[in-house]
PDB file of all heavy atoms in Angstrom:
ATOM      1  N   LEU F   1       4.521-307.798 -28.039  1.00 98.00           N
ATOM      2  CA  LEU F   1       3.921-307.031 -26.964  1.00 98.00           C
ATOM      3  C   LEU F   1       4.127-307.784 -25.658  1.00 98.00           C
ATOM      4  O   LEU F   1       3.832-308.983 -25.577  1.00 98.00           O
ATOM      5  CB  LEU F   1       2.430-306.813 -27.227  1.00 98.00           C
ATOM      6  CG  LEU F   1       1.682-305.916 -26.255  1.00 98.00           C
ATOM      7  CD1 LEU F   1       0.587-305.146 -26.990  1.00 98.00           C
ATOM      8  CD2 LEU F   1       1.080-306.693 -25.109  1.00 98.00           C
ATOM      9  N   VAL F   2       4.624-307.097 -24.657  1.00 98.00           N
ATOM     10  CA  VAL F   2       4.841-307.697 -23.352  1.00 98.00           C
ATOM     11  C   VAL F   2       3.656-307.419 -22.441  1.00 98.00           C
ATOM     12  O   VAL F   2       3.108-308.328 -21.813  1.00 98.00           O
ATOM     13  CB  VAL F   2       6.130-307.151 -22.705  1.00 98.00           C
ATOM     14  CG1 VAL F   2       6.314-307.705 -21.298  1.00 98.00           C
ATOM     15  CG2 VAL F   2       7.341-307.475 -23.581  1.00 98.00           C
ATOM     16  N   ALA F   3       3.268-306.145 -22.367  1.00 98.00           N
ATOM     17  CA  ALA F   3       2.161-305.756 -21.504  1.00 98.00           C
ATOM     18  C   ALA F   3       1.662-304.381 -21.913  1.00 98.00           C
ATOM     19  O   ALA F   3       2.428-303.580 -22.455  1.00 98.00           O
ATOM     20  CB  ALA F   3       2.602-305.725 -20.038  1.00 98.00           C
ATOM     21  N   ASN F   4       0.396-304.114 -21.652  1.00 98.00           N
ATOM     22  CA  ASN F   4      -0.113-302.771 -21.841  1.00 98.00           C
ATOM     23  C   ASN F   4      -1.073-302.417 -20.725  1.00 98.00           C
ATOM     24  O   ASN F   4      -1.595-303.281 -20.028  1.00 98.00           O
ATOM     25  CB  ASN F   4      -0.745-302.582 -23.221  1.00 98.00           C
ATOM     26  CG  ASN F   4      -1.939-303.486 -23.473  1.00 98.00           C
ATOM     27  OD1 ASN F   4      -2.697-303.787 -22.566  1.00 98.00           O
ATOM     28  ND2 ASN F   4      -2.104-303.887 -24.704  1.00 98.00           N
ATOM     29  N   ILE F   5      -1.279-301.119 -20.588  1.00 96.00           N
ATOM     30  CA  ILE F   5      -2.182-300.608 -19.562  1.00 96.00           C
ATOM     31  C   ILE F   5      -2.935-299.426 -20.142  1.00 96.00           C
ATOM     32  O   ILE F   5      -2.347-298.553 -20.778  1.00 96.00           O
ATOM     33  CB  ILE F   5      -1.419-300.233 -18.267  1.00 96.00           C
ATOM     34  CG1 ILE F   5      -2.379-299.787 -17.166  1.00 96.00           C
ATOM     35  CG2 ILE F   5      -0.346-299.174 -18.534  1.00 96.00           C
ATOM     36  CD1 ILE F   5      -1.739-299.724 -15.785  1.00 96.00           C
ATOM     37  N   THR F   6      -4.246-299.422 -19.935  1.00 94.00           N
ATOM     38  CA  THR F   6      -5.075-298.353 -20.481  1.00 94.00           C
ATOM     39  C   THR F   6      -5.167-297.192 -19.494  1.00 94.00           C
ATOM     40  O   THR F   6      -4.716-297.283 -18.353  1.00 94.00           O
ATOM     41  CB  THR F   6      -6.484-298.870 -20.773  1.00 94.00           C
ATOM     42  OG1 THR F   6      -7.124-299.168 -19.524  1.00 94.00           O
ATOM     43  CG2 THR F   6      -6.443-300.116 -21.643  1.00 94.00           C
ATOM     44  N   SER F   7      -5.794-296.117 -19.957  1.00 91.00           N
ATOM     45  CA  SER F   7      -5.977-294.957 -19.085  1.00 91.00           C
ATOM     46  C   SER F   7      -6.845-295.302 -17.877  1.00 91.00           C
ATOM     47  O   SER F   7      -6.715-294.691 -16.825  1.00 91.00           O
ATOM     48  CB  SER F   7      -6.598-293.806 -19.870  1.00 91.00           C
ATOM     49  OG  SER F   7      -7.818-294.213 -20.454  1.00 91.00           O
ATOM     50  N   GLY F   8      -7.697-296.301 -18.056  1.00 91.00           N
ATOM     51  CA  GLY F   8      -8.544-296.719 -16.943  1.00 91.00           C
ATOM     52  C   GLY F   8      -7.889-297.714 -16.010  1.00 91.00           C
ATOM     53  O   GLY F   8      -8.490-298.110 -15.006  1.00 91.00           O
ATOM     54  N   GLY F   9      -6.696-298.141 -16.352  1.00 92.00           N
ATOM     55  CA  GLY F   9      -5.962-299.055 -15.493  1.00 92.00           C
ATOM     56  C   GLY F   9      -6.078-300.520 -15.857  1.00 92.00           C
ATOM     57  O   GLY F   9      -5.499-301.382 -15.169  1.00 92.00           O
ATOM     58  N   SER F  10      -6.787-300.832 -16.923  1.00 96.00           N
ATOM     59  CA  SER F  10      -6.873-302.231 -17.357  1.00 96.00           C
ATOM     60  C   SER F  10      -5.541-302.672 -17.939  1.00 96.00           C
ATOM     61  O   SER F  10      -4.889-301.915 -18.653  1.00 96.00           O
ATOM     62  CB  SER F  10      -7.969-302.387 -18.409  1.00 96.00           C
ATOM     63  OG  SER F  10      -9.227-302.071 -17.869  1.00 96.00           O
ATOM     64  N   THR F  11      -5.175-303.907 -17.623  1.00 98.00           N
ATOM     65  CA  THR F  11      -3.879-304.410 -18.066  1.00 98.00           C
ATOM     66  C   THR F  11      -4.038-305.667 -18.913  1.00 98.00           C
ATOM     67  O   THR F  11      -5.042-306.388 -18.814  1.00 98.00           O
ATOM     68  CB  THR F  11      -2.971-304.730 -16.871  1.00 98.00           C
ATOM     69  OG1 THR F  11      -3.634-305.689 -16.028  1.00 98.00           O
ATOM     70  CG2 THR F  11      -2.665-303.483 -16.067  1.00 98.00           C
ATOM     71  N   ASN F  12      -3.024-305.907 -19.705  1.00 98.00           N
ATOM     72  CA  ASN F  12      -2.993-307.091 -20.553  1.00 98.00           C
ATOM     73  C   ASN F  12      -1.546-307.545 -20.649  1.00 98.00           C
ATOM     74  O   ASN F  12      -0.632-306.704 -20.744  1.00 98.00           O
ATOM     75  CB  ASN F  12      -3.521-306.746 -21.944  1.00 98.00           C
ATOM     76  CG  ASN F  12      -3.474-307.929 -22.883  1.00 98.00           C
ATOM     77  OD1 ASN F  12      -4.049-308.968 -22.619  1.00 98.00           O
ATOM     78  ND2 ASN F  12      -2.758-307.783 -23.990  1.00 98.00           N
ATOM     79  N   TYR F  13      -1.335-308.869 -20.609  1.00 98.00           N
ATOM     80  CA  TYR F  13       0.022-309.406 -20.612  1.00 98.00           C
ATOM     81  C   TYR F  13       0.172-310.517 -21.639  1.00 98.00           C
ATOM     82  O   TYR F  13      -0.774-311.267 -21.898  1.00 98.00           O
ATOM     83  CB  TYR F  13       0.376-309.982 -19.241  1.00 98.00           C
ATOM     84  CG  TYR F  13       0.410-308.975 -18.123  1.00 98.00           C
ATOM     85  CD1 TYR F  13      -0.720-308.713 -17.359  1.00 98.00           C
ATOM     86  CD2 TYR F  13       1.582-308.280 -17.833  1.00 98.00           C
ATOM     87  CE1 TYR F  13      -0.692-307.778 -16.346  1.00 98.00           C
ATOM     88  CE2 TYR F  13       1.622-307.346 -16.812  1.00 98.00           C
ATOM     89  CZ  TYR F  13       0.480-307.100 -16.077  1.00 98.00           C
ATOM     90  OH  TYR F  13       0.520-306.167 -15.062  1.00 98.00           O
ATOM     91  N   ALA F  14       1.369-310.621 -22.175  1.00 98.00           N
ATOM     92  CA  ALA F  14       1.694-311.783 -22.986  1.00 98.00           C
ATOM     93  C   ALA F  14       1.672-313.015 -22.088  1.00 98.00           C
ATOM     94  O   ALA F  14       2.026-312.942 -20.903  1.00 98.00           O
ATOM     95  CB  ALA F  14       3.080-311.625 -23.609  1.00 98.00           C
ATOM     96  N   ASP F  15       1.250-314.138 -22.632  1.00 98.00           N
ATOM     97  CA  ASP F  15       1.178-315.362 -21.835  1.00 98.00           C
ATOM     98  C   ASP F  15       2.525-315.707 -21.207  1.00 98.00           C
ATOM     99  O   ASP F  15       2.584-316.228 -20.091  1.00 98.00           O
ATOM    100  CB  ASP F  15       0.701-316.525 -22.708  1.00 98.00           C
ATOM    101  CG  ASP F  15      -0.770-316.423 -23.064  1.00 98.00           C
ATOM    102  OD1 ASP F  15      -1.501-315.658 -22.389  1.00 98.00           O
ATOM    103  OD2 ASP F  15      -1.200-317.102 -24.008  1.00 98.00           O
ATOM    104  N   SER F  16       3.578-315.417 -21.915  1.00 97.00           N
ATOM    105  CA  SER F  16       4.911-315.800 -21.452  1.00 97.00           C
ATOM    106  C   SER F  16       5.367-315.037 -20.201  1.00 97.00           C
ATOM    107  O   SER F  16       6.316-315.458 -19.531  1.00 97.00           O
ATOM    108  CB  SER F  16       5.937-315.588 -22.569  1.00 97.00           C
ATOM    109  OG  SER F  16       5.944-314.233 -22.987  1.00 97.00           O
ATOM    110  N   VAL F  17       4.699-313.929 -19.882  1.00 98.00           N
ATOM    111  CA  VAL F  17       5.123-313.133 -18.719  1.00 98.00           C
ATOM    112  C   VAL F  17       4.058-313.040 -17.639  1.00 98.00           C
ATOM    113  O   VAL F  17       4.316-312.461 -16.575  1.00 98.00           O
ATOM    114  CB  VAL F  17       5.565-311.716 -19.146  1.00 98.00           C
ATOM    115  CG1 VAL F  17       6.604-311.779 -20.249  1.00 98.00           C
ATOM    116  CG2 VAL F  17       4.386-310.854 -19.565  1.00 98.00           C
ATOM    117  N   LYS F  18       2.902-313.600 -17.882  1.00 98.00           N
ATOM    118  CA  LYS F  18       1.821-313.524 -16.888  1.00 98.00           C
ATOM    119  C   LYS F  18       2.273-314.129 -15.568  1.00 98.00           C
ATOM    120  O   LYS F  18       2.871-315.205 -15.536  1.00 98.00           O
ATOM    121  CB  LYS F  18       0.584-314.260 -17.404  1.00 98.00           C
ATOM    122  CG  LYS F  18      -0.254-313.466 -18.363  1.00 98.00           C
ATOM    123  CD  LYS F  18      -1.477-314.256 -18.810  1.00 98.00           C
ATOM    124  CE  LYS F  18      -2.286-313.478 -19.824  1.00 98.00           C
ATOM    125  NZ  LYS F  18      -3.419-314.261 -20.350  1.00 98.00           N
ATOM    126  N   GLY F  19       1.965-313.412 -14.499  1.00 97.00           N
ATOM    127  CA  GLY F  19       2.336-313.892 -13.182  1.00 97.00           C
ATOM    128  C   GLY F  19       3.748-313.531 -12.772  1.00 97.00           C
ATOM    129  O   GLY F  19       4.124-313.716 -11.612  1.00 97.00           O
ATOM    130  N   ARG F  20       4.538-313.032 -13.722  1.00 98.00           N
ATOM    131  CA  ARG F  20       5.926-312.657 -13.399  1.00 98.00           C
ATOM    132  C   ARG F  20       6.189-311.160 -13.582  1.00 98.00           C
ATOM    133  O   ARG F  20       7.028-310.591 -12.882  1.00 98.00           O
ATOM    134  CB  ARG F  20       6.898-313.433 -14.297  1.00 98.00           C
ATOM    135  CG  ARG F  20       6.820-314.933 -14.155  1.00 98.00           C
ATOM    136  CD  ARG F  20       7.944-315.634 -14.916  1.00 98.00           C
ATOM    137  NE  ARG F  20       7.884-315.390 -16.347  1.00 98.00           N
ATOM    138  CZ  ARG F  20       8.858-314.799 -17.047  1.00 98.00           C
ATOM    139  NH1 ARG F  20       9.970-314.407 -16.443  1.00 98.00           N
ATOM    140  NH2 ARG F  20       8.731-314.622 -18.353  1.00 98.00           N
ATOM    141  N   PHE F  21       5.495-310.538 -14.519  1.00 98.00           N
ATOM    142  CA  PHE F  21       5.691-309.111 -14.815  1.00 98.00           C
ATOM    143  C   PHE F  21       4.453-308.331 -14.393  1.00 98.00           C
ATOM    144  O   PHE F  21       3.329-308.830 -14.479  1.00 98.00           O
ATOM    145  CB  PHE F  21       5.908-308.898 -16.310  1.00 98.00           C
ATOM    146  CG  PHE F  21       7.218-309.400 -16.854  1.00 98.00           C
ATOM    147  CD1 PHE F  21       8.059-310.230 -16.125  1.00 98.00           C
ATOM    148  CD2 PHE F  21       7.608-309.047 -18.142  1.00 98.00           C
ATOM    149  CE1 PHE F  21       9.253-310.689 -16.646  1.00 98.00           C
ATOM    150  CE2 PHE F  21       8.798-309.506 -18.680  1.00 98.00           C
ATOM    151  CZ  PHE F  21       9.619-310.328 -17.920  1.00 98.00           C
ATOM    152  N   THR F  22       4.682-307.094 -13.975  1.00 98.00           N
ATOM    153  CA  THR F  22       3.580-306.199 -13.632  1.00 98.00           C
ATOM    154  C   THR F  22       3.823-304.837 -14.266  1.00 98.00           C
ATOM    155  O   THR F  22       4.871-304.221 -14.060  1.00 98.00           O
ATOM    156  CB  THR F  22       3.456-306.028 -12.114  1.00 98.00           C
ATOM    157  OG1 THR F  22       3.228-307.311 -11.511  1.00 98.00           O
ATOM    158  CG2 THR F  22       2.288-305.103 -11.775  1.00 98.00           C
ATOM    159  N   ILE F  23       2.844-304.389 -15.033  1.00 98.00           N
ATOM    160  CA  ILE F  23       2.902-303.062 -15.626  1.00 98.00           C
ATOM    161  C   ILE F  23       2.114-302.095 -14.755  1.00 98.00           C
ATOM    162  O   ILE F  23       1.086-302.448 -14.181  1.00 98.00           O
ATOM    163  CB  ILE F  23       2.363-303.066 -17.073  1.00 98.00           C
ATOM    164  CG1 ILE F  23       2.606-301.725 -17.761  1.00 98.00           C
ATOM    165  CG2 ILE F  23       0.888-303.447 -17.126  1.00 98.00           C
ATOM    166  CD1 ILE F  23       2.275-301.729 -19.251  1.00 98.00           C
ATOM    167  N   SER F  24       2.621-300.876 -14.637  1.00 97.00           N
ATOM    168  CA  SER F  24       1.911-299.855 -13.870  1.00 97.00           C
ATOM    169  C   SER F  24       2.202-298.495 -14.490  1.00 97.00           C
ATOM    170  O   SER F  24       3.117-298.354 -15.317  1.00 97.00           O
ATOM    171  CB  SER F  24       2.314-299.884 -12.396  1.00 97.00           C
ATOM    172  OG  SER F  24       3.705-299.635 -12.251  1.00 97.00           O
ATOM    173  N   ARG F  25       1.422-297.517 -14.082  1.00 94.00           N
ATOM    174  CA  ARG F  25       1.605-296.177 -14.620  1.00 94.00           C
ATOM    175  C   ARG F  25       1.333-295.141 -13.544  1.00 94.00           C
ATOM    176  O   ARG F  25       0.530-295.378 -12.638  1.00 94.00           O
ATOM    177  CB  ARG F  25       0.692-295.943 -15.822  1.00 94.00           C
ATOM    178  CG  ARG F  25      -0.790-295.995 -15.513  1.00 94.00           C
ATOM    179  CD  ARG F  25      -1.627-295.995 -16.783  1.00 94.00           C
ATOM    180  NE  ARG F  25      -1.705-294.680 -17.399  1.00 94.00           N
ATOM    181  CZ  ARG F  25      -2.254-294.451 -18.591  1.00 94.00           C
ATOM    182  NH1 ARG F  25      -2.751-295.449 -19.291  1.00 94.00           N
ATOM    183  NH2 ARG F  25      -2.309-293.226 -19.082  1.00 94.00           N
ATOM    184  N   ASP F  26       2.015-294.023 -13.677  1.00 92.00           N
ATOM    185  CA  ASP F  26       1.743-292.846 -12.865  1.00 92.00           C
ATOM    186  C   ASP F  26       1.367-291.758 -13.859  1.00 92.00           C
ATOM    187  O   ASP F  26       2.232-291.089 -14.430  1.00 92.00           O
ATOM    188  CB  ASP F  26       2.978-292.460 -12.052  1.00 92.00           C
ATOM    189  CG  ASP F  26       2.716-291.307 -11.101  1.00 92.00           C
ATOM    190  OD1 ASP F  26       1.771-290.512 -11.374  1.00 92.00           O
ATOM    191  OD2 ASP F  26       3.422-291.188 -10.109  1.00 92.00           O
ATOM    192  N   SER F  27       0.075-291.612 -14.079  1.00 85.00           N
ATOM    193  CA  SER F  27      -0.387-290.684 -15.115  1.00 85.00           C
ATOM    194  C   SER F  27       0.005-289.242 -14.811  1.00 85.00           C
ATOM    195  O   SER F  27       0.301-288.476 -15.728  1.00 85.00           O
ATOM    196  CB  SER F  27      -1.898-290.805 -15.274  1.00 85.00           C
ATOM    197  OG  SER F  27      -2.250-292.098 -15.729  1.00 85.00           O
ATOM    198  N   ALA F  28       0.016-288.880 -13.550  1.00 87.00           N
ATOM    199  CA  ALA F  28       0.371-287.504 -13.186  1.00 87.00           C
ATOM    200  C   ALA F  28       1.799-287.176 -13.591  1.00 87.00           C
ATOM    201  O   ALA F  28       2.126-286.030 -13.890  1.00 87.00           O
ATOM    202  CB  ALA F  28       0.175-287.296 -11.695  1.00 87.00           C
ATOM    203  N   LYS F  29       2.653-288.192 -13.599  1.00 90.00           N
ATOM    204  CA  LYS F  29       4.057-287.999 -13.948  1.00 90.00           C
ATOM    205  C   LYS F  29       4.374-288.445 -15.371  1.00 90.00           C
ATOM    206  O   LYS F  29       5.533-288.411 -15.776  1.00 90.00           O
ATOM    207  CB  LYS F  29       4.952-288.768 -12.969  1.00 90.00           C
ATOM    208  CG  LYS F  29       4.872-288.289 -11.535  1.00 90.00           C
ATOM    209  CD  LYS F  29       5.821-289.088 -10.646  1.00 90.00           C
ATOM    210  CE  LYS F  29       5.773-288.602  -9.209  1.00 90.00           C
ATOM    211  NZ  LYS F  29       6.675-289.387  -8.325  1.00 90.00           N
ATOM    212  N   ASN F  30       3.343-288.883 -16.105  1.00 90.00           N
ATOM    213  CA  ASN F  30       3.582-289.419 -17.461  1.00 90.00           C
ATOM    214  C   ASN F  30       4.699-290.456 -17.446  1.00 90.00           C
ATOM    215  O   ASN F  30       5.629-290.413 -18.267  1.00 90.00           O
ATOM    216  CB  ASN F  30       3.925-288.284 -18.433  1.00 90.00           C
ATOM    217  CG  ASN F  30       2.692-287.552 -18.934  1.00 90.00           C
ATOM    218  OD1 ASN F  30       2.777-286.683 -19.805  1.00 90.00           O
ATOM    219  ND2 ASN F  30       1.534-287.893 -18.404  1.00 90.00           N
ATOM    220  N   THR F  31       4.588-291.378 -16.517  1.00 95.00           N
ATOM    221  CA  THR F  31       5.622-292.400 -16.339  1.00 95.00           C
ATOM    222  C   THR F  31       4.964-293.772 -16.274  1.00 95.00           C
ATOM    223  O   THR F  31       3.871-293.916 -15.732  1.00 95.00           O
ATOM    224  CB  THR F  31       6.424-292.145 -15.063  1.00 95.00           C
ATOM    225  OG1 THR F  31       7.031-290.851 -15.146  1.00 95.00           O
ATOM    226  CG2 THR F  31       7.520-293.183 -14.886  1.00 95.00           C
ATOM    227  N   MET F  32       5.643-294.746 -16.847  1.00 96.00           N
ATOM    228  CA  MET F  32       5.176-296.121 -16.772  1.00 96.00           C
ATOM    229  C   MET F  32       6.308-297.005 -16.282  1.00 96.00           C
ATOM    230  O   MET F  32       7.488-296.639 -16.408  1.00 96.00           O
ATOM    231  CB  MET F  32       4.669-296.609 -18.131  1.00 96.00           C
ATOM    232  CG  MET F  32       5.717-296.555 -19.232  1.00 96.00           C
ATOM    233  SD  MET F  32       5.038-296.792 -20.881  1.00 96.00           S
ATOM    234  CE  MET F  32       4.680-298.534 -20.867  1.00 96.00           C
ATOM    235  N   TYR F  33       5.943-298.161 -15.749  1.00 98.00           N
ATOM    236  CA  TYR F  33       6.917-299.066 -15.172  1.00 98.00           C
ATOM    237  C   TYR F  33       6.631-300.498 -15.621  1.00 98.00           C
ATOM    238  O   TYR F  33       5.497-300.842 -15.963  1.00 98.00           O
ATOM    239  CB  TYR F  33       6.859-299.015 -13.641  1.00 98.00           C
ATOM    240  CG  TYR F  33       6.985-297.633 -13.060  1.00 98.00           C
ATOM    241  CD1 TYR F  33       5.850-296.888 -12.740  1.00 98.00           C
ATOM    242  CD2 TYR F  33       8.233-297.059 -12.851  1.00 98.00           C
ATOM    243  CE1 TYR F  33       5.953-295.608 -12.223  1.00 98.00           C
ATOM    244  CE2 TYR F  33       8.354-295.780 -12.329  1.00 98.00           C
ATOM    245  CZ  TYR F  33       7.206-295.059 -12.018  1.00 98.00           C
ATOM    246  OH  TYR F  33       7.321-293.786 -11.510  1.00 98.00           O
ATOM    247  N   LEU F  34       7.672-301.297 -15.590  1.00 98.00           N
ATOM    248  CA  LEU F  34       7.517-302.732 -15.788  1.00 98.00           C
ATOM    249  C   LEU F  34       8.359-303.427 -14.723  1.00 98.00           C
ATOM    250  O   LEU F  34       9.594-303.387 -14.790  1.00 98.00           O
ATOM    251  CB  LEU F  34       7.958-303.161 -17.187  1.00 98.00           C
ATOM    252  CG  LEU F  34       7.680-304.627 -17.522  1.00 98.00           C
ATOM    253  CD1 LEU F  34       6.171-304.882 -17.637  1.00 98.00           C
ATOM    254  CD2 LEU F  34       8.380-305.037 -18.821  1.00 98.00           C
ATOM    255  N   GLN F  35       7.676-303.999 -13.751  1.00 98.00           N
ATOM    256  CA  GLN F  35       8.360-304.767 -12.711  1.00 98.00           C
ATOM    257  C   GLN F  35       8.444-306.210 -13.184  1.00 98.00           C
ATOM    258  O   GLN F  35       7.422-306.822 -13.483  1.00 98.00           O
ATOM    259  CB  GLN F  35       7.598-304.674 -11.397  1.00 98.00           C
ATOM    260  CG  GLN F  35       8.226-305.466 -10.273  1.00 98.00           C
ATOM    261  CD  GLN F  35       9.559-304.899  -9.836  1.00 98.00           C
ATOM    262  OE1 GLN F  35       9.658-303.744  -9.467  1.00 98.00           O
ATOM    263  NE2 GLN F  35      10.601-305.732  -9.876  1.00 98.00           N
ATOM    264  N   MET F  36       9.666-306.726 -13.213  1.00 98.00           N
ATOM    265  CA  MET F  36       9.890-308.073 -13.735  1.00 98.00           C
ATOM    266  C   MET F  36      10.487-308.952 -12.640  1.00 98.00           C
ATOM    267  O   MET F  36      11.536-308.611 -12.075  1.00 98.00           O
ATOM    268  CB  MET F  36      10.825-308.019 -14.944  1.00 98.00           C
ATOM    269  CG  MET F  36      10.331-307.102 -16.056  1.00 98.00           C
ATOM    270  SD  MET F  36      11.385-307.099 -17.514  1.00 98.00           S
ATOM    271  CE  MET F  36      12.834-306.271 -16.882  1.00 98.00           C
ATOM    272  N   TYR F  37       9.821-310.035 -12.349  1.00 98.00           N
ATOM    273  CA  TYR F  37      10.286-311.009 -11.362  1.00 98.00           C
ATOM    274  C   TYR F  37      10.566-312.339 -12.052  1.00 98.00           C
ATOM    275  O   TYR F  37      10.103-312.595 -13.157  1.00 98.00           O
ATOM    276  CB  TYR F  37       9.227-311.230 -10.279  1.00 98.00           C
ATOM    277  CG  TYR F  37       8.905-310.038  -9.429  1.00 98.00           C
ATOM    278  CD1 TYR F  37       7.718-309.326  -9.624  1.00 98.00           C
ATOM    279  CD2 TYR F  37       9.766-309.619  -8.421  1.00 98.00           C
ATOM    280  CE1 TYR F  37       7.401-308.232  -8.828  1.00 98.00           C
ATOM    281  CE2 TYR F  37       9.454-308.525  -7.626  1.00 98.00           C
ATOM    282  CZ  TYR F  37       8.280-307.842  -7.837  1.00 98.00           C
ATOM    283  OH  TYR F  37       7.975-306.752  -7.052  1.00 98.00           O
ATOM    284  N   SER F  38      11.284-313.201 -11.338  1.00 98.00           N
ATOM    285  CA  SER F  38      11.549-314.563 -11.830  1.00 98.00           C
ATOM    286  C   SER F  38      12.003-314.559 -13.280  1.00 98.00           C
ATOM    287  O   SER F  38      11.490-315.311 -14.115  1.00 98.00           O
ATOM    288  CB  SER F  38      10.276-315.421 -11.680  1.00 98.00           C
ATOM    289  OG  SER F  38       9.855-315.459 -10.346  1.00 98.00           O
ATOM    290  N   LEU F  39      12.958-313.715 -13.565  1.00 98.00           N
ATOM    291  CA  LEU F  39      13.427-313.567 -14.939  1.00 98.00           C
ATOM    292  C   LEU F  39      14.066-314.844 -15.457  1.00 98.00           C
ATOM    293  O   LEU F  39      14.720-315.588 -14.704  1.00 98.00           O
ATOM    294  CB  LEU F  39      14.388-312.393 -15.042  1.00 98.00           C
ATOM    295  CG  LEU F  39      13.704-311.020 -15.031  1.00 98.00           C
ATOM    296  CD1 LEU F  39      14.667-309.921 -14.658  1.00 98.00           C
ATOM    297  CD2 LEU F  39      13.076-310.745 -16.387  1.00 98.00           C
ATOM    298  N   LYS F  40      13.863-315.072 -16.752  1.00 98.00           N
ATOM    299  CA  LYS F  40      14.384-316.258 -17.423  1.00 98.00           C
ATOM    300  C   LYS F  40      15.304-315.828 -18.560  1.00 98.00           C
ATOM    301  O   LYS F  40      15.144-314.720 -19.098  1.00 98.00           O
ATOM    302  CB  LYS F  40      13.224-317.072 -17.993  1.00 98.00           C
ATOM    303  CG  LYS F  40      12.164-317.475 -16.985  1.00 98.00           C
ATOM    304  CD  LYS F  40      11.015-318.180 -17.684  1.00 98.00           C
ATOM    305  CE  LYS F  40       9.917-318.571 -16.688  1.00 98.00           C
ATOM    306  NZ  LYS F  40       8.792-319.261 -17.357  1.00 98.00           N
TER     307      LYS F  40
END
């Protein structure tokens, strides 16, 4: 598991990606995103 986001917007990340990845969602569009920075 890399990251998850609940319907309420709560997020959770694997330790290995914390601070580098951001999960987000657009519920109206049924779309989710994973922004990844400082890739290794």
Side-chain angles (χ1 to χ4, degrees):
L1 185 147
V2 176
N4 61 34
I5 184 166
T6 68
S7 57
S10 297
T11 57
N12 178 58
Y13 296 91
D15 288 343
S16 59
V17 307
K18 279 181 183 176
R20 300 188 298 120
F21 290 12
T22 301
I23 188 172
S24 60
R25 63 190 284 172
D26 185 336
S27 296
K29 296 181 179 179
N30 279 186
T31 301
M32 59 192 287
Y33 307 95
L34 186 68
Q35 179 67 57
M36 304 183 291
Y37 296 105
S38 302
L39 284 160
K40 304 176 181 180

